[in-house]
Amino acid sequence: MTPTQKSLVVGSFARAYAAKRNVGRRFYLELFARAPELRPLFPQDLATQQELLNQTLATVVKEVHRLEVLSPALTALARRHAGYGAEPAHFALVGEALIGALAEETPGGLSYEEEAAWGAAYGAISGLMIPALEDELARAEGGASLACGAESE
């Protein structure tokens, strides 16, 4: 990410935050509109999920100039999501829903440059998370294969 993109992410999020907009609420509306098949992966009451997403976004924006600081937390988050049924293919849908939610909830919307900056930020974040998710899925699959192999002996 360029320094300009980082500044655009911080500035656009500050507008949404100052207006007390609920990006998390809008995100889940966007995600399930785009991919209704993902709804069963989430609890019926999304209030906690929405708040967690809002907090995570605030943390990411705070550290956008130093994303490497977030790497351990993001990889741990990805590993946990393996247990929730997340798949690497879901990341594209999540990114689209996130940018759509930000565009809707940010007063004045997002400019083309701000959308591109959020796309770059999400690309950097998912670039950290996807390998961790894939690793965790492979580890879990390997454990399941070992268990099945032991039963067949």
Side-chain angles (χ1 to χ4, degrees):
M1 290 183 67
T2 68
T4 299
Q5 288 174 320
K6 292 173 184 178
S7 293
L8 288 168
V9 164
V10 171
S12 61
F13 189 74
R15 290 194 327 265
Y17 189 81
K20 301 200 183 319
R21 302 306 291 261
N22 191 338
V23 176
R25 180 189 59 77
R26 176 64 69 173
F27 166 78
Y28 287 104
L29 291 172
E30 292 277 336
L31 181 63
F32 301 145
R34 295 167 190 267
E37 68 277 10
L38 296 182
R39 183 62 183 96
L41 298 178
F42 294 88
Q44 191 60 37
D45 182 357
L46 292 170
T48 300
Q49 295 295 125
Q50 293 166 0
E51 186 53 34
L52 287 171
L53 179 62
N54 288 332
Q55 290 171 6
T56 300
L57 281 173
T59 300
V60 167
V61 170
K62 178 182 172 194
E63 299 295 346
V64 73
H65 296 286
R66 307 176 316 144
L67 283 179
E68 67 279 0
V69 169
L70 296 177
S71 183
L74 291 172
T75 56
L77 180 65
R79 289 180 184 285
R80 283 193 310 275
H81 276 71
Y84 306 146
E87 299 174 10
H90 296 154
F91 276 82
L93 292 166
V94 167
E96 292 169 10
L98 177 61
I99 293 170
L102 287 161
E104 287 292 320
E105 294 298 322
T106 302
L110 294 178
S111 69
Y112 174 79
E113 292 81 10
E114 288 169 330
E115 280 195 32
W118 275 101
Y122 186 75
I125 291 162
S126 61
L128 294 170
M129 292 181 73
I130 290 172
L133 176 67
E134 290 172 333
D135 181 57
E136 188 65 21
L137 291 170
R139 189 186 66 71
E141 188 175 288
S145 294
L146 289 175
C148 289
E151 290 174 9
S152 64
E153 292 181 359

